[in-house]
Amino acid sequence: MVRVRDRLLCSGGQPTKQEWTDQAVNGKLRMSESAILACLKTPVSGTLLARTRLSLAGWVLSREPIDQAVVLADGRALAPVTIAGDRPDVLRAHPAFPATARSFYADADLAAYRGRTVRLAVEFRDVTGRVHVLKPVLVSLAHSERPSLPSFAVRRLARSLLCKGAWRALLRVRADHRRLLSAGVLEPTLPAADLPPVVRMPRPSFGNVDQSLLRTRLALLPAPPCLSVMVLVERVSEARLRRTFRSLNEQVYRNWEFVVVDHGPRALPVPRVLADELGGVAAIPVHYHRGAGKIAATLGRAIAQSTAAFVAFVRGGDALAPDALVTAAETIASRPDAELVYSDEDTIDDDDCLFAPFYKPGWSPELLLAQPYVLRLAFWRRSLLLEHGVRDGFADRWDYDLALRSTDAAR
């Protein structure tokens, strides 16, 4: 589980009052014999899929433990559902329903329904035999896995950027890719066999993490890769920066190095905060870089001096859950050909309440052109970073530019 700047890897979100109203009107929330209450957050009805793999996620309230859960496609069992960690935020949002709240997720293969519209639902059964079935959602599958480039999504993302520098940077990136497409250097889509080695991490554990279980998982790694976590300190409060450093101090994984790239104001005492929060972790090498010019130059020096195989960029204020690095190391060890490994994310406020989860799909070149969905949290192979580097002139979107260039080259 990885917390990323006001975002945490794959935990569910706290619904607002408006969400509760909308979901009740749409029939998404139903109570079965006052025992089970559930909500399917993704996918939404009317989703159009170009590929056959689909991730489902949501949460469930139940008075008794859930014994079995399954995804139904047109009324037939399609895939098992995993019941994950506790959801205290959901309990707080629905105090009139005293029960236990858990997240759930599932991965379904819809290859048999290509070119059709399928009704997907989730069926829950508790230990007493009570059954609750969520209202079905309609999902349509395209006939081909070669969708057109979503230029409308690129325009919508560009219009949402308020920073003038980021707007211009994104237009430059888009113009570069249009020239490459017109010249035949890039193709709009790629066959599945030619996809680059960009891998999504499996969803880690939720809620409180069992430290002994993490150590057991760590002991099973044949050759733990060396990782580097680079924290970019810019405009962030001291309290949030301490949360970032504290989350790194809680990592069970120990084969990694900690790099601080300080571009924050002089009034922010980064070295003192670093000493307070990580002073007791003697086994982890810590490197501090104070930048005075462009952040791209400082990052370039930090990457060049790193000795790790994979590098992750974490912005000040982000937070990683205790099993973040273990999960990343397991994924990298299982995929030696991986060039980029990324995770799901969620949002966390100053009171450590979670909301607005972002359950990401597998590798999609088209989706990356529309939004930078692989960036938080992502581990890059260091050789890939040395080859392409961080460029100036892209404001806060330098990482998006890096993702587009490096994944194009990795193909």
Side-chain angles (χ1 to χ4, degrees):
M1 187 163 55
V2 179
R3 293 180 182 175
V4 262
R5 178 177 187 160
D6 298 340
R7 295 202 163 244
L8 174 79
L9 187 156
C10 54
S11 291
Q14 178 177 352
T16 64
K17 293 182 179 179
Q18 184 61 42
E19 285 181 316
W20 280 98
T21 303
D22 294 344
Q23 291 164 359
V25 171
N26 294 332
K28 280 190 174 182
L29 300 181
R30 291 185 177 180
M31 189 178 299
S32 175
E33 301 179 19
S34 301
I36 298 176
L37 184 68
C39 175
L40 182 63
K41 303 288 285 184
T42 56
V44 297
S45 192
T47 299
L48 176 62
L49 294 180
R51 289 180 170 82
T52 57
R53 300 294 301 182
L54 176 65
S55 296
L56 298 91
W59 50 258
V60 57
L61 282 162
S62 60
R63 298 188 188 280
E64 302 293 338
I66 298 296
D67 180 56
Q68 185 179 11
V70 64
V71 177
L72 303 178
D74 289 340
R76 299 180 180 179
L78 178 65
V81 174
T82 301
I83 305 298
D86 295 333
R87 292 292 302 275
D89 54 314
V90 175
L91 286 177
R92 289 194 297 268
H94 202 58
F97 192 74
T100 58
R102 308 287 294 276
S103 296
F104 70 84
Y105 63 88
D107 292 314
D109 185 359
L110 302 175
Y113 300 91
R114 180 169 297 284
R116 296 169 48 190
T117 297
V118 59
R119 296 168 60 88
L120 294 179
V122 181
E123 179 183 277
F124 299 95
R125 185 186 302 271
D126 64 18
V127 293
T128 65
R130 292 189 179 93
V131 177
H132 176 71
V133 180
L134 283 175
K135 180 182 178 180
V137 296
L138 298 179
V139 175
S140 300
L141 282 85
H143 289 275
S144 170
E145 289 195 3
R146 298 180 64 85
S148 60
L149 285 174
S151 58
F152 66 91
V154 178
R155 290 194 297 270
R156 186 165 60 244
L157 175 66
R159 292 192 186 102
S160 68
L161 297 176
L162 300 180
C163 175
K164 184 180 294 186
W167 169 274
R168 292 174 178 172
L170 187 58
L171 291 181
R172 285 176 52 192
V173 172
R174 182 183 170 193
D176 288 344
H177 277 261
R178 280 186 170 178
R179 284 194 293 269
L180 291 174
L181 288 170
S182 62
V185 179
L186 298 180
E187 294 188 8
T189 55
L190 293 173
D194 297 331
L195 290 179
V198 180
V199 185
R200 181 175 68 86
M201 299 183 202
R203 292 189 177 94
S205 54
F206 294 83
N208 296 326
V209 180
D210 187 344
Q211 298 289 325
S212 61
L213 178 59
L214 289 183
R215 293 187 177 89
T216 301
R217 289 167 55 187
L218 188 58
L220 295 176
L221 282 174
C226 182
L227 308 176
S228 177
V229 179
M230 295 190 179
V231 178
L232 281 62
V233 182
E234 294 181 285
R235 297 174 296 274
V236 63
S237 66
E238 181 176 340
R240 290 193 173 189
L241 185 61
R242 286 185 178 275
R243 182 172 67 182
T244 301
F245 291 164
R246 194 178 308 118
S247 70
L248 291 168
N249 192 16
E250 294 172 354
Q251 296 299 309
V252 174
Y253 194 73
R254 281 294 178 259
N255 190 20
W256 65 286
E257 62 180 14
F258 183 39
V259 181
V260 178
V261 179
D262 185 4
H263 270 256
R266 293 287 182 180
L268 184 62
V270 177
R272 177 172 59 81
V273 174
L274 184 63
D276 292 345
E277 299 296 338
L278 281 95
V281 188
I284 303 300
V286 179
H287 307 282
Y288 177 79
H289 298 270
R290 174 66 191 181
K294 299 289 187 180
I295 192 171
T298 311
L299 283 173
R301 292 195 300 270
I303 295 170
Q305 295 176 15
S306 173
T307 59
F310 281 80
V311 177
F313 301 108
V314 176
R315 295 184 184 272
D318 297 0
L320 279 68
D323 60 343
L325 299 187
V326 174
T327 304
E330 290 174 336
T331 306
I332 293 169
S334 65
R335 286 289 305 273
D337 62 326
E339 299 287 340
L340 173 62
V341 176
Y342 64 95
S343 74
D344 296 344
E345 59 184 273
D346 200 347
T347 306
I348 183 171
D349 61 17
D350 291 335
D351 297 325
D352 289 341
C353 293
L354 310 177
F355 60 97
F358 184 10
Y359 297 99
K360 302 176 184 178
W363 168 239
S364 172
E366 294 82 13
L367 182 59
L368 184 61
L369 289 176
Q371 65 181 100
Y373 77 101
V374 300
L375 296 183
R376 305 169 74 177
L377 176 72
F379 283 86
W380 312 70
R381 189 177 291 275
R382 179 171 168 269
S383 59
L384 197 66
L385 296 177
L386 290 175
E387 179 181 356
H388 299 281
V390 178
R391 297 196 299 184
D392 285 330
F394 290 89
D396 290 338
R397 309 311 295 174
W398 59 265
D399 48 358
Y400 191 16
D401 168 67
L402 176 61
L404 290 169
R405 290 186 292 112
S406 60
T407 53
D408 283 344
R411 298 179 190 184

